[in-house]
Amino acid sequence: MLLRPLSVSVSASLRLRRLLSGSGSGSGPRGPRAARVAVVLSGCGVYDGTEIHEASAILVHLSRRGADYQVYAPDVSQMHVIDHVKGEPAAESRNVLVESARIARGRVQELGKLRAQDHDAVIFPGGFGAAKNLSTFATQGQDCLVIPDVQRVLTEFHKAQKPIGLCCIAPVLAARVLGEVEVTVGNEEEGGGRWPYAGTAAAIKAMGARHHVTDVHQAHVDADNKIVTTAAFMCETKIHHVHDGIGEMVQRVLQLTAA
């Protein structure tokens, strides 16, 4: 007699996994009080969403340092969809929350549910989604708009004096919303192509923020505002250098949660 394989829907599989794990968030080794960190994504894929390597590095470093994390994303349509092979727009539409769930392994909550009172810190990975889906920086530069929930989250954490981490292009969000803060997107000169997005520093200054020059493996701390930034893939470099810089950012964010 042939036995039929058990058929389980994707949603049922996710419910079963959450039931068995007891939580929808990632976690590291649990101590008496693990830091609780919100991670805000903007889709899935460097050219139209979150830079996947940056998001993964953030989650790995948080887990390695014993922090608990919960992933969030806005329930909105992407600005557009980019064919990552051709580098051209594709004739389709995608949802930021649905796409972010790919990185979060289904464990993602809508950004409107994120409250500073429930977390010790918040971190924003980069990728063009930060400039296209979380804001209009990709099309409007220094005159960009930031979506309301991102404005609210940044303002809430800043007022509560809780750390904010941002990498790659994401520091433009803090510059636009918070104004007189100090961030880094790496260098202010292209350096023969090593820093292809160096012009972003000028836009940050035009928005009233200050820019601090760093190398890719470094993170910059604005201690007064508890904002930690790192250049990540604003630099054309080997991936382990990006991973190291993100590790420095995560470490500094977690240190500030205990300050």
Side-chain angles (χ1 to χ4, degrees):
M1 181 177 67
L2 295 176
L3 297 177
R4 294 182 181 179
L6 180 64
S7 176
V8 182
S9 69
V10 172
S11 60
S13 297
L14 288 172
R15 287 196 297 270
L16 177 60
R17 185 176 65 193
R18 288 167 182 158
L19 178 63
L20 293 174
S21 67
S23 173
S25 65
S27 63
R30 290 188 180 275
R33 175 64 169 81
R36 298 166 298 184
V37 181
V39 179
V40 179
L41 303 186
S42 59
C44 181
V46 56
Y47 298 124
D48 56 16
T50 303
E51 212 299 320
I52 298 171
H53 298 292
E54 293 178 8
S56 180
I58 288 167
L59 301 183
V60 168
H61 284 294
L62 286 171
S63 178
R64 188 179 298 279
R65 288 170 170 79
D68 289 340
Y69 62 81
Q70 174 62 55
V71 177
Y72 294 88
D75 186 5
V76 298
S77 296
Q78 293 185 183
M79 173 184 157
H80 59 189
V81 177
I82 297 294
D83 182 326
H84 279 57
V85 174
K86 298 178 181 178
E88 301 171 352
E92 59 179 290
S93 62
R94 296 188 183 185
N95 177 276
V96 173
L97 179 63
V98 172
E99 290 300 295
S100 297
R102 296 176 180 272
I103 297 174
R105 297 173 58 84
R107 297 167 178 168
V108 62
Q109 294 187 21
E110 202 278 319
L111 185 57
K113 297 180 180 179
L114 173 52
R115 295 290 183 271
Q117 65 189 29
D118 299 325
H119 299 277
D120 300 305
V122 63
I123 297 179
F124 290 78
F128 279 91
K132 294 179 177 180
N133 304 328
L134 303 187
S135 73
T136 60
F137 184 81
T139 55
Q140 293 182 284
Q142 67 191 54
D143 298 317
C144 68
L145 301 175
V146 178
I147 68 171
D149 268 327
V150 170
Q151 289 189 49
R152 175 186 59 78
V153 167
L154 288 171
T155 302
E156 279 186 11
F157 276 82
H158 189 244
K159 285 185 176 179
Q161 297 184 323
K162 293 185 175 182
I164 300 169
L166 311 102
C167 67
C168 194
I169 192 67
V172 301
L173 303 173
R176 186 59 172 160
V177 174
L178 303 177
E180 294 184 2
V181 297
E182 188 167 86
V183 299
T184 189
V185 290
N187 214 306
E188 298 179 2
E189 304 291 336
E190 290 192 9
R194 186 168 186 258
W195 298 95
Y197 310 105
T200 305
I204 285 171
K205 293 176 182 178
M207 288 188 278
R210 301 179 300 278
H211 183 260
H212 186 85
V213 173
T214 59
D215 206 344
V216 66
H217 65 280
Q218 299 172 316
H220 178 68
V221 181
D222 177 348
D224 291 339
N225 292 290
K226 291 193 173 183
I227 293 177
V228 188
T229 48
T230 190
F233 279 108
M234 297 296 275
C235 181
E236 287 290 338
T237 188
K238 293 182 178 180
I239 191 171
H240 70 275
H241 295 309
V242 173
H243 194 275
D244 291 346
I246 289 174
E248 181 71 11
M249 177 191 70
V250 169
Q251 180 178 355
R252 296 300 187 91
V253 166
L254 293 178
Q255 287 173 347
L256 287 172
T257 66

